[in-house]
Amino acid sequence: MLSPTIGWFTDTLWLTLFLGLVLIPLLEWIWHDRTRSTGPQWVWPKRFLQLTGISVLTQAMGLCIVSGKMAPIDVLTIALSSGYVAGGTGIVLAHELGHRKHWLDRTIARMCLIMVGYGHYLIEHNYGHHRNAATWHDPATARKHESLWVFLPRYFSGVWKHAWYLSSQRKKQPNEALSSLICWLFIILVATLILGSTAFIFIVTQAIVAQLLVGSVDYFEHWGLQRQTVGSTYQRLNHKHIWDCANPVSELLLFNLPRHSSHHLQPWLSASELRRESDSPQLPTGYAGMVLMALVSPWFKSVMSKRLSQMQVKLELNEQN
């Protein structure tokens, strides 16, 4: 989480990129639980999650300030690093805290999202995605034929449109999608006026990386898994509509986000209470590795299509028995 700051202090600005693109995917591949066991019981105190979210925000602001004294290539490197943490830790924390009721949790969640220009995600995820997951109405559910690069334009536009629609339905409250966008643009304006063009480059680059990460994760979490229609409605969401990931490294670093089936089927549970769902289709490696795989569409489809076919055959045999 603090690797961008450590990289700045030690003059190894590439540290976070090495960890995220090389070391963590390698550890995930080595330590992937192919037995589908119950897995370790990771527990995070509530205060720890709050403080981590605040740390991510503080780090981003601090690096934005010091970027004004860096060479352009160094600004880009530190922005890429900060964006990786803002997406891989900040948005994941925002996802967790955004499901909670306490005002402080939700405030930290909104701030982490606004920092990367994605404040509208919270309302769409909580009131849109959880209702429509694994259906054609959900922009975060990827079709089997879609590559990541085909999915992303539909995803980003769909999340924004649905967030705007949901916000506009709350007549007695400010439009959350609009207010979040205004806050982000205000941050960019003030930072650019005070710190110069390097702050603009830092903030925008960080946002692009963070949003690309969350888009990539949403891409593979429900890829190719759609609910069937029953009359005029969709069948109830169950474990077969959600890719799970039995990977201790991802679970530890992403606050049990890979236990995604448990989160969807019991969204009231905290991160520490989530459990693996062995009956769900399983991803072949952890989330960092899956992001890399998703970026290379032929590789992703080759691996995932086989797993999807195997799951469908298994379901057919179960139904026959």
Side-chain angles (χ1 to χ4, degrees), residues 167-186:
S167 299
S168 64
Q169 299 303 300
R170 300 182 171 191
K171 302 298 182 182
K172 297 182 179 180
Q173 299 182 32
N175 187 302
E176 188 172 330
L178 178 60
S179 60
S180 296
L181 176 61
I182 292 174
C183 287
W184 185 59
L185 294 176
F186 181 76

Side-chain angles (χ1 to χ4, degrees), residues 17-223:
L17 300 180
F18 172 74
L19 293 175
L21 300 178
V22 179
L23 185 58
I24 294 175
L26 181 61
L27 289 175
E28 288 177 341
W29 181 255
I30 294 173
W31 194 15
H32 189 72
D33 193 343
R34 294 168 178 82
T35 65
R36 300 189 185 185
S37 67
T38 56
Q41 185 177 354
W42 306 115
V43 177
W44 299 272
K46 180 178 179 180
R47 297 293 185 193
F48 174 78
L49 297 182
Q50 293 173 343
L51 291 173
T52 302
I54 294 171
S55 298
V56 171
L57 291 166
T58 304
Q59 175 175 248
M61 290 187 290
L63 292 175
C64 183
I65 293 171
V66 301
S67 67
K69 299 179 180 180
M70 294 181 179
I73 186 62
D74 291 338
V75 173
L76 183 60
T77 303
I78 201 68
L80 291 171
S81 299
S82 184
Y84 192 93
V85 171
T89 301
I91 293 183
V92 173
L93 273 172
H95 168 264
E96 168 63 19
L97 297 176
H99 275 288
R100 298 182 178 182
K101 302 300 182 182
H102 195 276
W103 68 269
L104 181 58
D105 293 328
R106 297 183 69 84
T107 298
I108 295 173
R110 286 193 178 96
M111 290 175 66
C112 286
L113 291 167
I114 289 172
M115 176 183 67
V116 293
Y118 215 47
H120 57 282
Y121 171 83
L122 190 59
I123 186 171
E124 201 290 322
H125 177 84
N126 286 3
Y127 301 103
H129 176 64
H130 271 270
R131 179 181 299 175
N132 299 319
T135 74
W136 301 126
H137 298 296
D138 177 36
T141 295
R143 283 64 161 156
K144 180 182 177 181
H145 65 272
E146 285 182 318
S147 69
L148 174 66
W149 307 110
V150 172
F151 166 78
L152 287 178
R154 180 179 65 79
Y155 165 75
F156 286 126
S157 61
V159 169
W160 169 258
K161 290 176 183 177
H162 202 202
W164 183 278
Y165 169 77
L166 292 170
S167 299
S168 64
Q169 299 303 300
R170 300 182 171 191
K171 302 298 182 182
K172 297 182 179 180
Q173 299 182 32
N175 187 302
E176 188 172 330
L178 178 60
S179 60
S180 296
L181 176 61
I182 292 174
C183 287
W184 185 59
L185 294 176
F186 181 76
I187 291 171
I188 293 177
L189 177 62
V190 171
T192 303
L193 290 175
I194 296 175
L195 302 171
S197 60
T198 55
F200 177 85
I201 295 171
F202 179 91
I203 294 172
V204 173
T205 301
Q206 176 184 251
I208 291 173
V209 174
Q211 291 187 32
L212 178 60
L213 276 177
V214 71
S216 300
V217 168
D218 277 341
Y219 169 70
F220 60 71
E221 284 183 328
H222 300 276
W223 178 83

Side-chain angles (χ1 to χ4, degrees), residues 24-40 244-251 276-287 289-290 293 299 303 307 310 314:
I24 294 175
L26 181 61
L27 289 175
E28 288 177 341
W29 181 255
I30 294 173
W31 194 15
H32 189 72
D33 193 343
R34 294 168 178 82
T35 65
R36 300 189 185 185
S37 67
T38 56
D244 230 42
C245 179
N247 191 279
V249 178
S250 276
E251 290 168 340
R276 293 178 180 175
E277 293 287 342
S278 59
D279 291 334
S280 292
Q282 300 292 312
L283 296 173
T285 188
Y287 271 38
M290 287 304 304
M293 191 182 295
W299 181 23
V303 173
R307 288 183 171 254
Q310 291 170 354
K314 180 181 178 181

